[in-house]
Amino acid sequence: MSKLSIDDLAIFCKKKGFVFPSTEIYGGMAGFFDYGPLGVELKNNIKNTWWKTFVQNREDVYGLDGSLISSGKIWEASGHLSSFTDLLTQCKKCHKNHRADQLVEDKLKINVDGLSGESINKLLKDNNLKCPECKGDLTEVKSFNLMFPVQIGADITKDSTAYLRGETAQMIFVAFRNVVESSRVKLPFGIAQIGKAFRNEIAPRNFLFREREFEQMEIEFFVKPDEKKSPLLSKRQSDLEFLFYSEEAQAKESHPKKIKMSELLKEKLLTEWHAYWLAESYLWFVELGVNENNLRIRQHTKKELSHYSSATFDVEYNFPFGWKEIYGNANRGQFDLTQHMKHSKQSMELFDEDTKQKILPAVIEPSFGVDRAFLTFIYDAYHDDKERGNVVLKLHYKLAPVKVGIFPLVNKLEEKAKEIYHMLREEFVCLYDRSGSIGRRYARADEIGMPYCVTIDFETLEDKSVTIRERDTTKQIRVKLSELKHILEKLLKGEEFGKLGKLIK
Ligand code: GAP
């Protein structure tokens, strides 16, 4: 894998216009980022691909776009106002805040997932840990709630306090009845949403990994509560093999091992619906090009399970700062609908045609972070190609921010090149580049992950043909101008390069 540090990746992303630190001219704000011209394209491609796969290409998942600012009643019912906390300790000398569990992990190199505030406090004291900034003494550990409050309207009373949503999921539970009543749904079905979530993280860090404002792509998939089988579970999911870090292996501090999903099912570590969604989500990353050697699935230990979950599995990526969660898949059971039913006094039950009874659905939740997916795709795609002497961003063609570069070999050919550019940009995101040597232009194209470049030369004027260059192999084919659009369409659907034109030696 690439030896690139996360700070170097952040520098690269800024230089190329993928991601900028937010509010930089005023000194920046930790945990907030702006996506630049290329970043917004890549991010939109991630979201569009996800939406196409999990909503538009399915008949059983419905879309939603809930509000960002949400009533405190939602978060009281969901348990976030009482339980959505991290452990805070402050330096008595420089007053810097630290996330206590991260500080212990960093200093003692141990896994403290799920340890109580009391145990973390004891570890801080027993090991005489100090402020990493100024070596000052640290305060007792206390819980810090991550929800961002906002005041609505002019009436500053407690009741007017709302919150920026801490997860998109709750908006789905709250809109559940409206979707059910408007969309003729039938169990099992899902409601999906892409959108911002906000968490007042104590210590945002590692570039896009831990932010205070980020985006999620979540599905709440509703099933009959006693349904043991998933009719959708097929060989595709049960034969899926992956690196698995079980709770047992974590307790013994032994290594993760290769396992098939069918074995996890046999061991009853998860339900069939849970296995189905875990596999489909893992495969989404793989089918978009992420190297499987850099992925693993980790089972949450009992101690670290969220207050709403009976079983959670994370997909983790091997970042330079360790194996970290990029996707979480919880079995939320009936927790959320029960809570909202109790607090809103509105029924969340559905009529089951089979048993002729009302039932409260249970929920499996596949939860993706857009920004962590972005970080994963760009990190995994980054190749420092020593032979070429430049970076090659081997992004999957569906994700590449710019699909086609159009280059006139010399400025004299501009008129023809511009004509071709205008024709192609009707169809694809294109970039016209006339400056510098052709080699320099190819290098710039590689660096931003452009899968194909079209070069217009003097022969183009004579025989109406152009050269297409493939990013990953640098191979070139000669194709007729009249077929160019069609061939690029085929390439951007995954057809083999060498078969679509005459290879140039
Ligand atoms: N609804 C369940 C939920 O929110 P989570 O594990 O807290 O679960 C789900 O978050 C996903 O959201 C994570 O896998 C990650 O990709 C993303 N995410 C969570 N916190 C984040 C943060 N502070 N910065 C960036 N992404 C974050």
Side-chain angles (χ1 to χ4, degrees):
M1 90 174 261
S2 160
K3 293 278 187 304
L4 184 74
S5 77
I6 209 68
D7 291 341
D8 286 340
L9 182 71
I11 292 168
F12 170 82
C13 283
K14 184 177 170 200
K15 190 171 147 208
K16 291 286 161 193
F18 281 100
V19 183
F20 311 127
S22 188
T23 327
E24 206 179 15
I25 60 166
Y26 290 107
M29 283 206 311
F32 298 90
F33 291 90
D34 299 333
Y35 284 79
L38 292 177
V40 72
E41 295 290 340
L42 172 53
K43 196 182 189 198
N44 284 340
N45 291 342
I46 292 171
K47 292 193 281 185
N48 292 340
T49 309
W50 188 90
W51 195 257
K52 182 102 187 87
T53 308
F54 293 116
V55 183
Q56 293 173 339
N57 283 357
R58 302 181 61 109
E59 289 170 13
D60 57 356
V61 179
Y62 301 79
L64 181 78
D65 187 9
S67 66
L68 300 184
I69 295 180
S70 46
S71 162
K73 290 177 185 154
I74 297 176
W75 306 101
E76 210 176 295
S78 70
H80 281 72
L81 290 186
S82 52
S83 308
F84 199 47
T85 53
D86 274 338
L87 297 171
L88 171 74
T89 177
Q90 201 185 41
C91 172
K92 290 182 184 168
K93 200 164 124 198
C94 72
H95 305 294
K96 190 166 164 84
N97 290 325
H98 301 282
R99 217 178 110 172
D101 53 335
Q102 277 176 0
L103 200 146
V104 170
E105 263 190 14
D106 289 351
K107 291 288 162 201
L108 306 181
K109 307 279 175 245
I110 53 169
N111 180 8
V112 297
D113 282 341
L115 285 194
S116 65
E118 219 172 291
S119 313
I120 297 284
N121 215 15
K122 189 165 179 327
L123 282 168
L124 283 174
K125 285 203 174 128
D126 290 354
N127 294 284
N128 198 23
L129 295 185
K130 303 281 180 194
C131 170
E133 304 287 318
C134 74
K135 307 278 173 281
D137 289 335
L138 297 166
T139 61
E140 293 280 310
V141 170
K142 62 175 185 187
S143 285
F144 176 79
N145 193 282
L146 303 184
M147 297 296 293
F148 268 114
V150 271
Q151 210 64 46
I152 297 182
D155 177 20
I156 315 273
T157 62
K158 192 166 177 282
D159 279 354
S160 65
T161 301
Y163 291 87
L164 292 176
R165 62 192 189 191
E167 58 171 5
T168 56
Q170 288 309 319
M171 308 321 290
I172 295 178
F173 296 124
V174 171
F176 175 74
R177 271 168 57 106
N178 283 335
V179 176
V180 167
E181 283 164 16
S182 60
S183 306
R184 297 194 299 137
V185 302
K186 206 168 162 287
L187 287 173
F189 71 92
I191 305 178
Q193 177 168 212
I194 299 181
K196 294 258 177 172
F198 304 83
R199 296 181 187 176
N200 198 3
E201 296 282 353
I202 298 168
R205 59 181 185 172
N206 290 325
F207 189 32
L208 302 174
F209 184 80
R210 192 168 300 287
E211 300 163 278
R212 291 180 165 135
E213 174 180 329
F214 55 96
E215 254 179 300
Q216 292 184 313
M217 307 183 280
E218 299 200 296
I219 303 168
E220 304 307 318
F221 197 80
F222 301 95
V223 299
K224 290 186 184 178
D226 49 4
E227 192 167 54
K228 297 275 178 293
K229 297 267 163 211
S230 158
L232 298 190
L233 189 81
S234 67
K235 268 177 83 61
R236 171 177 155 90
Q237 296 91 26
S238 47
D239 282 357
L240 178 72
E241 204 177 26
F242 48 86
L243 195 62
F244 180 59
Y245 204 16
S246 66
E247 177 171 22
E248 198 187 341
Q250 291 169 66
K252 287 187 193 151
E253 294 189 12
S254 60
H255 292 293
K257 63 170 191 193
K258 274 258 161 119
I259 197 163
K260 276 192 179 178
M261 191 62 86
S262 53
E263 292 170 70
L264 297 195
L265 281 162
K266 219 181 281 162
E267 287 179 38
K268 296 201 173 2
L269 294 189
L270 75 185
T271 65
E272 283 199 4
W273 275 115
H274 205 163
Y276 168 80
W277 278 108
L278 184 57
E280 283 300 289
S281 308
Y282 177 92
L283 283 166
W284 182 76
F285 286 105
V286 175
E287 286 167 5
L288 286 171
V290 177
N291 181 346
E292 279 196 77
N293 294 328
N294 295 329
L295 290 175
R296 73 177 187 192
I297 293 180
R298 187 179 72 81
Q299 182 184 20
H300 275 210
T301 62
K302 301 252 165 358
K303 277 196 219 152
E304 72 177 297
L305 284 174
S306 304
H307 60 279
Y308 51 71
S309 175
S310 60
T312 298
F313 296 83
D314 289 344
V315 173
E316 295 186 332
Y317 183 80
N318 188 10
F319 287 112
F321 48 92
W323 286 94
K324 296 285 171 193
E325 171 194 347
I326 56 172
Y327 160 89
N329 195 170
N331 182 343
R332 291 179 87 127
Q334 294 168 305
F335 178 85
D336 300 271
L337 290 184
T338 304
Q339 285 298 102
H340 287 301
M341 194 151 100
K342 210 156 79 190
H343 284 247
S344 69
K345 306 202 172 30
Q346 307 276 330
S347 170
M348 300 284 166
E349 291 172 322
L350 299 181
F351 185 73
D352 180 16
E353 291 294 343
D354 297 336
T355 58
K356 307 286 179 219
Q357 281 183 346
K358 280 186 175 176
I359 52 168
L360 187 68
V363 174
I364 297 294
E365 178 191 64
S367 175
F368 298 72
V370 177
D371 312 74
R372 286 192 195 171
F374 184 105
L375 194 63
T376 303
F377 288 125
I378 203 162
Y379 191 83
D380 207 68
Y382 187 101
H383 288 80
D384 191 1
D385 192 318
K386 298 280 180 246
E387 224 168 274
R388 289 192 215 182
N390 59 263
V391 168
V392 185
L393 212 52
K394 294 190 175 176
L395 286 168
H396 191 280
Y397 57 84
K398 285 189 185 168
L399 301 181
V402 180
K403 310 291 184 204
V404 187
I406 292 105
F407 307 157
L409 193 61
V410 293
N411 288 346
K412 264 192 200 165
L413 296 161
E414 261 220 286
E415 200 185 324
K416 189 72 193 165
K418 273 274 165 78
E419 190 189 301
I420 294 170
Y421 168 58
H422 287 130
M423 175 206 32
L424 293 180
R425 78 173 182 192
E426 293 293 313
E427 214 64 46
F428 319 103
V429 180
C430 294
L431 188 138
Y432 183 81
D433 189 357
R434 50 163 274 187
S435 61
S437 70
I438 197 75
R440 200 51 226 125
R441 280 180 269 173
Y442 284 152
R444 283 200 294 264
D446 286 348
E447 281 167 1
I448 64 167
M450 217 189 282
Y452 301 105
C453 299
V454 173
T455 305
I456 291 90
D457 53 29
F458 287 105
E459 272 178 63
T460 308
L461 303 181
E462 285 161 24
D463 67 359
K464 296 195 173 38
S465 67
V466 289
T467 300
I468 308 179
R469 171 193 185 261
E470 187 182 47
R471 176 196 66 202
D472 294 350
T473 59
T474 73
K475 281 185 182 160
Q476 302 193 1
I477 52 174
R478 195 79 190 172
V479 304
K480 284 194 196 139
L481 200 43
S482 57
E483 290 173 7
L484 178 62
K485 208 192 233 180
H486 190 50
I487 288 174
L488 285 168
E489 254 164 25
K490 286 186 172 177
L491 288 171
L492 292 168
K493 281 191 179 136
E495 281 197 35
E496 208 181 308
F497 185 74
K499 290 194 176 150
L500 292 172
K502 201 167 147 227
L503 270 176
I504 300 174
K505 290 266 154 53

